Amino acid sequence: DQQVKQNSPSLSVQEGRISILNCDYTNSMFDYFLWYKKYPAEGPTFLISISSIKDKNEDGRFTVFLNKSAKHLSLHIVPSQPGDSAVYFCAASAGANSKLTFGKGITLSVRP
Amino acid sequence: ETGVTQTPRHLVMGMTNKKSLKCEQHLGHNAMYWYKQSAKKPLELMFVYSLEERVENNSVPSRFSPECPNSSHLFLHLHTLQPEDSALYLCASSQDTLTTDTQYFGPGTRLTVL
């Protein structure tokens, strides 16, 4: 049973617009959440993270929002750029030395 | 060379072959990981090493045998694999095994078992 779900396999947005990537989780013990980005033929690279004590974390064009009551987090990219086209993985962990549990990923395409 | 490197990038093997995947990190990290990514599935953690000691074995079949001779190198020895083992195998490293330690991934080895 998947504990981290990225239900939409793909998303297409126009350059300059906002991209919103969603992630849901089922394990209430998860307390740390991350987003990774992956280009073809490359390994995933860390993008942004958020601890469960926060509900928002911002880094440049990237903002992650966490709604603990809904067990939902989202990644906002504003403005979207063609170079953002990649697969985005949501991941979560429970505890300081816990392994990461990943979602299946969402393929984002940003149209010029 | 910097970061995390993996060789080979692509591997095709028969079910009776024995092969090894290699991972090397140049980041001075203490922890290394093997992940498996099958088509349309999430990344699955296979093994975790911390300071050359295996600290996690995620119920992986014995036909996958990891080896960590030092903190910079990690191997995954493969023998008598099955076609369903075909996947992308990713290596990662991090400073230590704390969840907040960012994991840096290599480009992966695309494995096909015939």
Side-chain angles (χ1 to χ4, degrees):
Chain A
D1 184 36
Q2 273 188 267
Q3 297 187 64
V4 177
K5 300 178 184 179
Q6 295 179 262
N7 292 321
S8 302
S10 62
L11 175 69
S12 180
V13 300
Q14 192 77 37
E15 181 179 6
R17 299 290 188 101
I18 184 171
S19 295
I20 300 177
L21 309 177
N22 293 308
C23 178
D24 297 293
Y25 61 95
T26 58
N27 188 342
S28 57
M29 299 301 292
F30 285 150
D31 59 3
Y32 190 68
F33 305 87
L34 309 90
W35 285 92
Y36 277 81
K37 178 168 82 171
K38 184 181 185 302
Y39 293 119
E42 295 183 15
T45 55
F46 170 76
L47 191 56
I48 193 168
S49 63
I50 188 167
S51 165
S52 61
I53 62 173
K54 293 186 168 184
D55 53 20
K56 176 183 173 181
N57 189 25
E58 189 173 351
D59 183 2
R61 295 185 299 113
F62 302 91
T63 303
V64 56
F65 294 92
L66 176 62
N67 182 334
K68 289 184 289 292
S69 60
K71 294 193 180 68
H72 177 83
L73 65 155
S74 60
L75 175 68
H76 293 212
I77 307 174
V78 182
S80 301
Q81 299 174 354
D84 296 328
S85 297
V87 178
Y88 288 79
F89 294 98
C90 172
S93 68
N97 281 290
S98 170
K99 67 178 186 180
L100 294 179
T101 300
F102 283 84
K104 289 185 183 180
I106 301 172
T107 300
L108 173 66
S109 299
V110 180
R111 307 184 304 273
Chain B
E1 196 167 3
T2 58
V4 181
T5 58
Q6 291 186 242
T7 54
R9 295 294 306 275
H10 300 271
L11 178 63
V12 179
M13 59 187 289
M15 290 191 284
T16 58
N17 291 157
K18 287 185 181 181
K19 296 286 184 185
S20 295
L21 309 185
K22 179 182 176 182
C23 175
E24 187 172 357
Q25 58 98 0
H26 308 269
L27 301 168
H29 288 165
N30 296 320
M32 296 188 77
Y33 310 76
W34 279 117
Y35 285 89
K36 173 184 177 183
Q37 187 182 19
S38 303
K40 301 192 182 198
K41 286 190 174 181
L43 272 75
E44 300 170 60
L45 180 65
M46 299 175 73
F47 302 103
V48 181
Y49 276 81
S50 177
L51 296 170
E52 300 133 53
E53 284 196 28
R54 193 189 311 179
V55 296
E56 179 140 1
N57 176 345
N58 216 28
S59 302
V60 180
S62 59
R63 56 186 185 269
F64 295 91
S65 174
E67 178 191 1
C68 188
N70 55 64
S71 59
S72 298
H73 293 87
L74 185 65
F75 294 90
L76 188 62
H77 304 297
L78 316 171
H79 62 100
T80 58
L81 293 193
Q82 305 298 312
E84 59 264 29
D85 297 322
S86 298
L88 180 68
Y89 289 84
L90 289 159
C91 172
S93 72
S94 61
Q95 187 58 54
D96 290 292
T97 55
L98 292 175
T99 303
T100 50
D101 290 327
T102 300
Q103 292 186 26
Y104 294 81
F105 285 82
T109 296
R110 175 70 62 185
L111 174 67
T112 302
V113 182
L114 301 176

